[in-house]
Amino acid sequence: MPSADHDLGPQNLRAPAATVTREPRDRSPEHAEPSRFIPHVQGLRAIAVLAVVLYHFWPGRVTGGYVGVDIFFVISGFLITGHLMRELSATGSVRLGQFWARRARRLLPASLLVLLFCAIVAMSPYLTPTSALPNEVQEILASTFYVENWFLALNSADYLNHSGDPTTVQHYWSLSLEEQFYVMWPLIMLLAAWIGVKFFRGARRRAVITALAIVTVVSFVFCVVFTITNPAPAYFVTFGRMWQFGVGALIALVPLLRVRNAIGSFVLGWAGVLVLVYAIFTFDGQTPFPGYMAAIPTLGAAAVLAASNTERWWYPTRILAIRPAQFVGDISYSLYLWHWPLIIIAPSVPFWGLTIYHRVALLILCFVLAWLTKKFVEDPARSWKVLTSRPARVTLWSSLGAMLIVAVVAATAWFVNAPAYNAGVRDIQQLQEDPPPCFGAAAVLDASCADADFGDTILPAPGFAGIDRPADAQCFVQLTDARPVSCTFGSDDPDAPRVALVGDSHAYQLLSTFQRIAEDEGWQLVTWFKGACPWNSTPLSTPGAFGAACAEWREGVTAAMADADLDAVFTAAIATTPYSSAGFDSSYDAAVAGYVDAWDGMLDQGVPVITVVDNPVWETDPNKCLRTRDAAECDGPRSDVLVADDPLRDAAAQREGVTLLDFTDVFCGEELCAPVVGGANIYRDQDHLTVTFADTLAPWYSEAIRNALAE
């Protein structure tokens, strides 16, 4: 998260500013000590914010741009620790109220402005899908009170592989973490300083360095272990990120770590820049992160900070201090705040497309808004005499009042739209219980429906498709959960045919439909689901704990299925799953062989297997387009959204006991794939079917299973 503390930057930490001791203790002037501004830190900020912003605009090109946040953490640790140490050395203490008041004046005005904007946007069903409203409001509230990182951690959001619709404020996780740093860090330093004075003959500085070094090491070990065992929450948890602030802090406090030698500074600085460029363009969503891999960008940023010689123009300290870099560094905080909400909202704006020209225009708009916010919000708020000339508590209480205003606006967004949300939920339930004739897939697959015309009908409405998902989330395990959780539905008759539904989220998306089929047919349905982990014996190429959990889950499921006395197995999987190609000519061949091998365990017991070719996968949720445009304008080129060679198709062709269903002609024509068929809204996000549409395929699913059971 880009800190707004542009005028902080330790140079000679052993020589505290003399004016600190003369500062009025009952006031909180903004510039109470001389500036220690370091120009090349602004250039490092520019690298960091551009990495994050370009990653969000073009994630397929700047695949590791998310490490920009790690760079910001190092910078904040470097600057804030130096600031605190100067005051601690000069006065023997830190005036916490004034410190926190300064942080509030620097950070909250722009932050709360953007949150207020997002809360107002949430009120509009044209810009925010009503189905997303509960989560949007919750995250705005969490961000307002700076606990967004914990909200995401506790809800197991996967920042690097997030498949749903992220909210407009998801990026506030890093601001929340940094605010928590501002609270904890001075307390740690004060406690360490007290221990140094009390027990170690006044070795205040040495005690602080020792304490921060211990925090850094312990936090890094925690980060590595937690990333292995539980990677999604590890990305957001405060304790797993403190070491990055600690690295910056140690650069600030230990003179030996700052290289002033000309050659050493030149080599170290440019090496740090190259390491950052390497991480930004080579890391991706499959990189085990943060974990030990986060040490690469962290140490790269630390190297740039440690290189302090500025004698020659070609030194990184001088190159990073050029005016364009200074400008981007100056607006980095506001640029970070604005870019993500605009990216999320833009596809819902009428007449706005997703072409390269639209993205560039949106990027320019982000820069303009950032500059305006810096000039008219950030800078004036930092020196507003109404607050700076009064005790720190005035700033803190004013900040709390502003936060409560944003919270009230966010809550109002929910109360205004709650009736529409509840009505939409009821409409979906009624639609599923009593769909119109020839609705959905029947319009293509049923010859008697050839003349059906639904006009502009889209059900469920694009604003509600996101909630049209299976209800039994307890049956679906994800991330590093390796438990072979099984659920049973349908008939209780011990003689009823037992049908298994097994696979990843593209199997889970059929759960509600198969529950109805089981109840109608008198079957018993047994399920096993794990996110991003198809029923396949080939290991995933995904490293770390997730890949290991998938392998363990498969072993457990295979054993459970062998003992389950099944009569048929239905499986589905996303076609783009990354498989390890070790031992095969390609990842595709590995996937095909893995499916065949997994199915053979059932086929050898005489249990038939039914599978289905995967549905198209879109770059972004088609509902964003459907909310503002005609359905025909939202079609996607077949070559862009449909995997040409689904390994399930080739795997099924290799075994006679496998039935393959292929609904590609329902989703796509010769050149285009549609998000709406027969009046039915196909997708609830970029690649998962709505329950409503899956229900329209039920006759063909049940027929295939009946035929398999009859063989």
Side-chain angles (χ1 to χ4, degrees):
M1 189 281 293
S3 168
D5 298 312
H6 300 305
D7 62 341
L8 300 180
Q11 290 179 332
N12 184 0
L13 297 177
R14 292 189 179 276
T19 54
V20 172
T21 57
R22 297 197 297 269
E23 184 181 341
R25 303 188 67 86
D26 62 342
R27 297 291 184 267
S28 186
E30 189 61 21
H31 300 292
E33 56 182 274
S35 172
R36 285 169 171 80
F37 180 75
I38 304 177
H40 81 274
V41 172
Q42 290 298 82
L44 187 58
R45 273 197 181 99
I47 292 175
V49 76
L50 289 176
V52 174
V53 171
L54 295 178
Y55 166 66
H56 286 150
F57 269 91
W58 291 281
R61 295 179 181 271
V62 190
T63 57
Y66 55 84
V67 304
V69 173
D70 303 77
I71 301 172
F72 284 125
F73 291 161
V74 178
I75 294 173
S76 292
F78 176 73
L79 297 180
I80 294 301
T81 304
H83 170 74
L84 292 170
M85 195 67 223
R86 285 194 298 276
E87 183 175 356
L88 189 59
S89 298
T91 68
S93 183
V94 172
R95 283 156 291 180
L96 293 175
Q98 292 189 15
F99 172 76
W100 289 330
R102 287 173 183 153
R103 302 289 75 70
R105 287 196 296 273
R106 291 172 187 270
L107 303 177
L108 262 61
S111 172
L112 295 179
L113 172 66
V114 175
L115 286 174
L116 184 63
F117 168 79
C118 293
I120 293 172
V121 167
M123 291 187 187
S124 170
Y126 297 102
L127 298 177
T128 301
T130 308
S131 62
L133 189 61
N135 202 43
E136 185 77 28
V137 170
Q138 289 180 71
E139 292 198 29
I140 290 175
L141 292 174
S143 299
T144 300
F145 296 100
Y146 291 97
V147 291
E148 170 71 351
N149 62 316
W150 286 104
F151 179 89
L152 294 175
L154 294 174
N155 286 276
S156 296
D158 188 345
Y159 185 75
L160 302 184
N161 296 288
H162 194 62
S163 59
D165 277 334
T167 66
T168 56
V169 297
Q170 180 173 289
H171 64 317
Y172 269 72
W173 75 268
S174 62
L175 283 81
S176 299
L177 197 152
E178 187 148 346
E179 291 295 334
Q180 293 156 27
F181 159 76
Y182 291 145
V183 173
M184 291 188 297
W185 212 247
L187 296 176
I188 294 172
M189 292 180 66
L190 280 173
L191 177 60
W194 178 82
I195 292 174
V197 171
K198 185 77 173 177
F199 300 103
F200 297 99
R201 301 179 181 179
R204 180 186 293 118
R205 182 185 183 84
R206 187 180 306 167
V208 169
I209 294 174
T210 301
L212 296 187
I214 292 172
V215 169
T216 300
V217 172
V218 172
S219 173
F220 178 71
V221 172
F222 174 86
C223 176
V224 171
V225 173
F226 201 39
T227 300
I228 293 173
T229 59
N230 217 348
Y235 198 89
F236 306 106
V237 169
T238 308
F239 311 128
R241 294 289 192 159
M242 285 295 102
W243 67 276
Q244 296 180 298
F245 295 98
V247 168
L250 294 176
I251 296 294
L253 296 182
V254 181
L256 291 176
L257 296 179
R258 296 193 296 278
V259 180
R260 293 183 174 85
N261 174 270
I263 296 177
S265 181
F266 173 84
V267 172
L268 185 65
W270 281 120
V273 171
L274 291 176
V275 165
L276 294 178
V277 171
Y278 169 80
I280 290 168
F281 288 99
T282 63
F283 284 20
D284 57 25
Q286 302 303 318
T287 303
F289 207 88
Y292 63 90
M293 292 298 287
I296 294 176
T298 300
L299 294 178
V304 176
L305 292 175
S308 54
N309 190 292
T310 60
E311 292 181 3
R312 301 288 186 270
W313 70 265
W314 59 82
Y315 286 11
T317 48
R318 295 282 292 275
I319 297 295
L320 291 176
I322 61 176
R323 293 199 61 170
Q326 294 294 296
F327 172 75
V328 176
D330 285 344
I331 67 169
S332 60
Y333 180 57
S334 290
L335 181 58
Y336 183 86
L337 290 172
W338 279 112
H339 84 282
W340 182 250
L342 296 184
I343 288 173
I344 297 299
I345 295 166
S348 300
V349 176
F351 313 113
W352 191 271
L354 292 173
T355 66
I356 182 65
Y357 304 105
H358 288 103
R359 295 188 187 218
V360 170
L362 189 64
L363 181 61
I364 294 172
L365 177 61
C366 291
F367 273 85
V368 172
L369 280 175
W371 176 76
L372 291 173
T373 304
K374 174 72 165 58
K375 184 175 179 63
F376 296 107
V377 178
E378 281 190 62
D379 291 344
R382 288 165 54 185
S383 56
W384 195 20
K385 290 185 178 180
V386 172
L387 297 178
T388 58
S389 62
R390 286 173 169 79
R393 63 177 177 272
V394 175
T395 294
L396 297 176
W397 281 111
S398 299
S399 299
L400 178 59
M403 294 163 75
L404 290 174
I405 291 173
V406 173
V408 168
V409 175
T412 302
W414 165 249
F415 287 114
V416 167
N417 291 283
Y421 178 86
N422 294 328
V425 173
R426 290 193 298 271
D427 290 344
I428 290 175
Q429 293 173 342
Q430 294 173 3
L431 173 64
Q432 292 172 0
E433 292 171 1
D434 186 24
C438 296
F439 182 62
V444 178
L445 298 176
D446 188 340
S448 65
C449 296
D451 297 329
D453 184 6
F454 286 86
D456 296 330
T457 299
I458 302 177
L459 299 172
F464 287 95
I467 60 173
D468 193 8
R469 62 182 66 217
D472 295 279
Q474 76 279 3
C475 302
F476 182 72
V477 301
Q478 50 187 326
L479 302 172
T480 57
D481 190 345
R483 296 171 301 138
V485 173
S486 176
C487 293
T488 302
F489 306 94
S491 176
D492 294 329
D493 186 346
D495 296 326
R498 302 194 77 200
V499 178
L501 178 60
V502 58
D504 60 12
S505 62
H506 280 212
Y508 173 69
Q509 69 186 358
L510 306 177
L511 175 58
S512 296
T513 301
F514 273 60
Q515 286 176 264
R516 293 188 180 91
I517 293 174
E519 291 169 0
D520 293 342
E521 298 286 346
W523 299 335
Q524 185 177 93
L525 178 67
V526 186
T527 68
W528 289 275
F529 306 114
K530 178 170 172 58
C533 184
W535 181 37
N536 187 304
S537 65
T538 299
L540 301 181
S541 63
T542 309
F546 181 83
C550 180
E552 184 179 345
W553 177 83
R554 288 170 172 176
E555 292 176 3
V557 168
T558 299
M561 292 175 68
D563 297 333
D565 192 23
L566 300 173
D567 296 292
V569 176
F570 193 104
T571 186
I574 188 169
T576 55
T577 301
Y579 291 94
S580 171
S581 60
F584 297 91
D585 292 337
S586 67
S587 176
Y588 178 82
D589 291 337
V592 172
Y595 283 124
V596 171
D597 183 59
W599 299 345
D600 280 346
M602 288 289 98
L603 296 174
D604 290 344
Q605 296 182 28
V607 180
V609 174
I610 307 98
T611 190
V612 59
V613 173
D614 193 28
N615 54 262
V617 174
W618 299 66
E619 181 181 3
T620 187
D621 185 353
N623 287 287
K624 293 180 180 180
C625 177
L626 292 172
R627 289 203 306 272
T628 57
R629 300 170 180 81
D630 292 336
E633 297 180 48
C634 300
D635 291 348
R638 181 172 175 140
S639 58
D640 290 348
V641 301
L642 187 67
V643 174
D645 298 315
D646 189 336
L648 282 167
R649 183 183 283 110
D650 279 359
Q654 295 185 23
R655 291 294 184 268
E656 293 184 0
V658 177
T659 300
L660 178 70
L661 299 177
D662 189 348
F663 298 118
T664 300
D665 290 342
V666 175
F667 300 110
C668 304
E670 292 185 2
E671 296 183 358
L672 299 174
C673 296
V676 179
V677 170
N681 192 341
I682 299 177
Y683 301 97
R684 59 178 165 88
D685 56 30
Q686 59 262 44
D687 67 294
H688 293 100
L689 305 180
T690 60
V691 171
T692 296
F693 181 79
D695 282 350
T696 70
L697 291 167
W700 289 271
Y701 291 138
S702 56
E703 181 184 10
I705 296 172
R706 280 197 303 268
N707 292 338
L709 291 172
E711 292 179 358

